[in-house]
Amino acid sequence: MLQVLACGAVVFPGLFFAFRRILPCVFKHWSDADVVLVSERLVSSIHAIMATTAGVIVVSSCRGNIINDRHWLATYFVIWYGVPYMTYDIFAMYLSHYYRFRVKGHEDYKQHSLRTVNSFVRREFLLVLHHIALLTILLPVTLFFRKDQGDFFIGCLFLTELSTPFVSLGKILIQLSLQDCWLHKANGGMVLFTFFMCRIALFPYMYWMYGRHYGIPLYSVPFHLPLSANLGNSCILAPQVYWFVLLCRKGYRLYKRSRSPDASPVAAVTDNSKDD
């Protein structure tokens, strides 16, 4: 088990290191911040594809009896790749934050320090909290408190990663100054669609499937579940709704700009900065 966990801990930092070495050879004009950002996004997309694939396999294998049907990936993907990735990604997000502000010339970012770490945590508090919550809540629930039940729902949670490659592609297209092309606009539509379906609508769907299994209506399902399950789902869903609102606002701004005859490419690049 430790060997498998170690393997997962090597895969994502290894990919990140490889991209950081390869990208400057291809895009020689990119800064360290550019390289780190795109490297982080590429690794995130790889993990998302792996998680989505595992989710599809688990969900399709456990649809007969959503409570008691089992699939080994529901537990072992979390151990092998979920925990190592979430741990790695906190570090990768910090590096992206650090180099972004270092390139901008901030005095505090001439070297790593507690101040730079504190600044990162304050600016990216919700994302850091999201990652830590998955490590401290989802992992124990997956391993110890499910009583070998609910693999179907763990597989559904894997599917929340489906939107990540589209979010990453959008940032990479901006990095390549392709934010005005049709691909970026089409990708924006896919971001909103996949984010809504797999990170928001997925939760009512899971409640509906639970109700169908026990023969109870959807509105009665929350009263049939333990309070801890409802609170856990609410804690996962709340930031997803917040991020979806931010995505909709950004999409609306870009739509208004595209309809405005006075819109300029410079303004588009500025609004689509990596800080979004």
Side-chain angles (χ1 to χ4, degrees):
M1 182 66 68
L2 290 177
Q3 290 179 341
V4 175
L5 181 60
C7 178
V10 168
V11 167
F12 301 114
L15 287 171
F16 182 73
F17 178 82
F19 286 131
R20 285 191 66 184
R21 291 293 179 269
I22 295 170
L23 289 175
C25 298
V26 180
F27 303 98
K28 301 183 184 299
H29 62 287
W30 279 9
S31 66
D32 289 337
D34 300 330
V35 171
V36 170
L37 172 78
V38 175
S39 299
E40 176 201 349
R41 289 296 169 178
L42 289 172
V43 176
S44 294
S45 298
I46 292 172
H47 168 263
I49 292 170
M50 294 170 62
T52 302
T53 302
V56 170
I57 294 172
V58 173
V59 168
S60 60
S61 299
C62 300
R63 289 182 60 88
N65 186 323
I66 63 170
I67 301 299
N68 296 313
D69 282 355
R70 303 296 314 280
H71 195 285
W72 61 272
L73 273 176
T75 297
Y76 287 104
F77 184 83
V78 174
I79 300 173
W80 294 352
Y81 296 108
V83 173
Y85 172 76
M86 288 300 168
T87 305
Y88 142 82
D89 198 43
I90 294 175
F91 177 69
M93 288 190 302
Y94 165 72
L95 285 182
S96 181
H97 165 88
Y98 174 81
Y99 282 107
R100 185 167 72 246
F101 282 89
R102 183 178 180 180
V103 166
K104 291 179 179 179
H106 288 257
E107 289 294 324
D108 293 338
Y109 287 82
K110 291 183 177 180
Q111 60 183 5
H112 298 283
S113 66
L114 289 177
R115 181 172 294 183
T116 61
V117 173
N118 183 56
S119 175
F120 161 69
V121 173
R122 283 190 288 108
R123 289 183 64 90
E124 304 292 348
F125 177 76
L126 195 57
L127 272 174
V128 173
L129 181 63
H130 172 258
H131 281 56
I132 293 176
L134 290 178
L135 289 171
T136 58
I137 297 175
L138 181 60
L139 175 63
V141 168
T142 302
L143 296 182
F144 306 115
F145 300 120
R146 290 194 298 121
K147 299 178 181 179
D148 294 333
Q149 294 181 326
D151 284 14
F152 172 85
F153 300 105
I154 298 298
C156 286
L157 292 177
F158 290 165
L159 295 178
T160 60
E161 291 291 338
L162 179 61
S163 64
T164 299
F166 298 103
V167 174
S168 297
L169 177 59
K171 290 186 176 291
I172 292 172
L173 289 173
I174 292 171
Q175 191 62 48
L176 296 172
S177 299
L178 297 175
Q179 62 273 359
D180 294 322
C181 72
W182 67 269
L183 179 58
H184 183 260
K185 296 175 182 178
N187 183 73
M190 288 301 299
V191 168
L192 292 176
F193 176 74
T194 56
F195 200 100
F196 177 79
M197 294 301 296
C198 295
R199 290 182 179 251
I200 296 177
L202 180 68
F203 287 86
Y205 170 74
M206 289 192 291
Y207 274 64
W208 176 75
M209 288 294 291
Y210 183 93
R212 192 180 73 163
H213 177 82
Y214 285 105
I216 57 178
L218 177 62
Y219 63 82
S220 298
V221 172
F223 304 102
H224 195 267
L225 290 170
L227 177 62
S228 58
N230 289 313
L231 287 176
N233 286 329
S234 298
C235 290
I236 297 174
L237 180 60
Q240 313 302 329
V241 174
Y242 171 73
W243 287 323
F244 183 71
V245 170
L246 292 184
L247 286 171
C248 289
R249 287 178 177 175
K250 181 179 179 181
Y252 181 67
R253 290 199 308 269
L254 295 177
Y255 172 77
K256 287 179 62 178
R257 181 180 299 114
S258 68
R259 303 284 293 182
S260 172
D262 298 328
S264 66
V266 174
V269 173
T270 302
D271 184 74
N272 283 286
S273 67
K274 296 185 289 296
D275 293 340
D276 289 341

